[in-house]
Amino acid sequence: MAELLDGRAIAKELKEEIKLEIAKWKEKGVESKLAVILVGDDPASVIYAKSKQRVAEDMGIAFDLFAMPGDTLEIAVLDLIDCLNNDMEFHGIMIELPLPKHISKEKIMAAVRPEKDVDGGHPINRGYILSGEEGLFPATPLSCIELLLRSGVEISGKHVVIVGRGETVGKPLVFLMLKHNATVTICHSRTVDLGSFTRQADILISAVGKINLITEDMVKPGAVVVDAGINETANGICGDVDFEKVKEIAGRISPVPGGVGALTTVLIMRNVLKGITLQGGC
Ligand code: NAP
């Protein structure tokens, strides 16, 4: 039976490291602060914003939630971002997605100052991830990497198969994996015979959002399986992997909840601190 990749334990470890760093900045007179912009009342976004507030405040990062009605004009959101970009009190800006349909996600993402872009959505940060330079990168792909490395899983030289080429998880993860010297295959909805690829994986990562997409016959015995998918069910959330059956085949496996998702919010906070450095430490 597979050993668990325990996201909650790693999140605890990371929180302690980040708290120490926050304290060091405080000694230098820098009070870290995160702004979250929420447009509309999408129930999941409201929950995610509140959870960020809890984690930030618990770790000693000041937090402001800017909740705007769903019919707010795009220009008003851009004005708010402009204010926050120029306000030295704020080191990180995060936009809760999805935005209402009348607001262009691309325009909003590009308006955030790259050094404050804690979710890594700005075109400059997306370019840095591609070129391998330092920047602010999306938290969920970073969570996959931290989960593996801190669990003692070697990435270098391994064949990593990623299922899902979404902008938030799958696509950025390709470049982070390349940076860690993995050989990467990426699959998506047009991949023919998905199992023939997933069975080749030393490390298999699913980032799709489909219950039971990854079944036991699609996993090489002893492989490491990371489930980044989140699916809502009547009994709470679950991932993309048929956990009960795949855990009998895999060598290591991440649960949902308690795997990748447990690290995501904490890594946004680490990005706030990285942002302070990128902004010149003030
Ligand atoms: P997305 O943009 O909707 O991308 C989903 C990807 O899955 C697409 O590339 C799509 O292929 C592919 N796909 C769909 N059906 C497939 C199939 N049958 N076989 C193979 N590939 C298939 O989603 P995302 O924003 O990247 O998020 C992916 C998952 O991660 C979601 O479940 C989301 O909830 C979860 N997530 C988790 C966290 C966390 O903290 N753990 C954070 C963010 C997101 P095409 O490109 O061909 O359409």
Side-chain angles (χ1 to χ4, degrees), residues 20-169:
L20 285 178
E21 214 186 312
I22 292 168
K24 279 189 195 150
W25 281 115
K26 274 196 178 143
E27 276 169 25
K28 292 182 195 165
V30 180
E31 294 277 344
S32 47
K33 192 165 185 182
L34 170 66
V36 169
I37 301 176
L38 174 66
V39 190
D41 54 5
D42 173 62
S45 300
V46 173
I47 292 171
Y48 288 140
K50 294 250 158 72
S51 136
K52 280 178 201 100
Q53 176 157 20
R54 246 193 338 270
V55 175
E57 290 176 349
D58 170 54
M59 294 173 75
I61 295 179
F63 182 98
D64 261 355
L65 176 64
F66 294 87
M68 306 173 100
D71 59 357
T72 303
L73 294 179
E74 186 180 85
I75 187 72
V77 184
L78 291 169
D79 283 346
L80 172 61
I81 292 173
D82 191 43
C83 284
L84 294 169
N85 280 343
N86 293 305
D87 187 335
M88 301 296 275
E89 245 189 63
F90 288 95
H91 303 98
I93 303 170
M94 166 130 201
I95 322 289
E96 287 296 342
L97 298 176
L99 288 163
K101 285 198 168 53
H102 66 280
I103 297 179
S104 153
K105 177 183 148 193
E106 288 70 29
K107 247 192 200 172
I108 296 295
M109 290 301 176
V112 176
R113 187 177 157 194
E115 298 85 0
K116 295 192 179 188
D117 169 37
V118 289
D119 209 24
H122 192 283
I124 288 189
N125 284 318
R126 300 184 77 79
Y128 285 154
I129 207 169
L130 224 119
S131 65
E133 281 169 80
E134 272 311 310
L136 292 173
F137 303 141
T140 310
L142 287 175
S143 304
C144 296
I145 301 280
E146 288 291 338
L147 187 63
L148 289 167
L149 292 180
R150 286 178 185 252
S151 305
V153 176
E154 174 88 37
I155 295 176
S156 178
K158 295 288 159 49
H159 184 193
V160 175
V161 177
I162 300 168
V163 187
R165 58 177 165 181
E167 299 296 328
T168 6
V169 193

Side-chain angles (χ1 to χ4, degrees), residues 207-267:
V208 172
K210 275 207 163 63
I211 298 176
N212 290 341
L213 176 70
I214 308 295
T215 48
E216 77 270 34
D217 56 314
M218 296 167 77
V219 177
K220 178 167 79 175
V224 177
V225 179
V226 175
D227 194 348
I230 296 183
N231 304 288
E232 307 280 346
T233 76
N235 302 318
I237 60 163
C238 71
D240 295 341
V241 176
D242 183 351
F243 183 82
E244 288 308 319
K245 293 201 175 126
V246 171
K247 79 176 194 306
E248 302 299 328
I249 304 285
R252 314 281 298 268
I253 189 166
S254 72
V256 179
V260 174
L263 298 181
T264 313
T265 311
V266 179
L267 288 169

Side-chain angles (χ1 to χ4, degrees), residues 167-222:
E167 299 296 328
T168 6
V169 193
K171 219 181 264 180
L173 187 55
V174 172
F175 300 101
L176 292 179
M177 283 294 176
L178 288 174
K179 199 172 178 183
H180 285 275
N181 299 313
T183 301
V184 186
T185 299
I186 185 147
C187 304
H188 44 78
S189 69
R190 308 291 177 91
T191 299
V192 177
D193 193 3
L194 183 61
S196 69
F197 293 95
T198 58
R199 276 189 292 275
Q200 294 177 40
D202 300 315
I203 300 173
L204 173 61
I205 303 180
S206 187
V208 172
K210 275 207 163 63
I211 298 176
N212 290 341
L213 176 70
I214 308 295
T215 48
E216 77 270 34
D217 56 314
M218 296 167 77
V219 177
K220 178 167 79 175

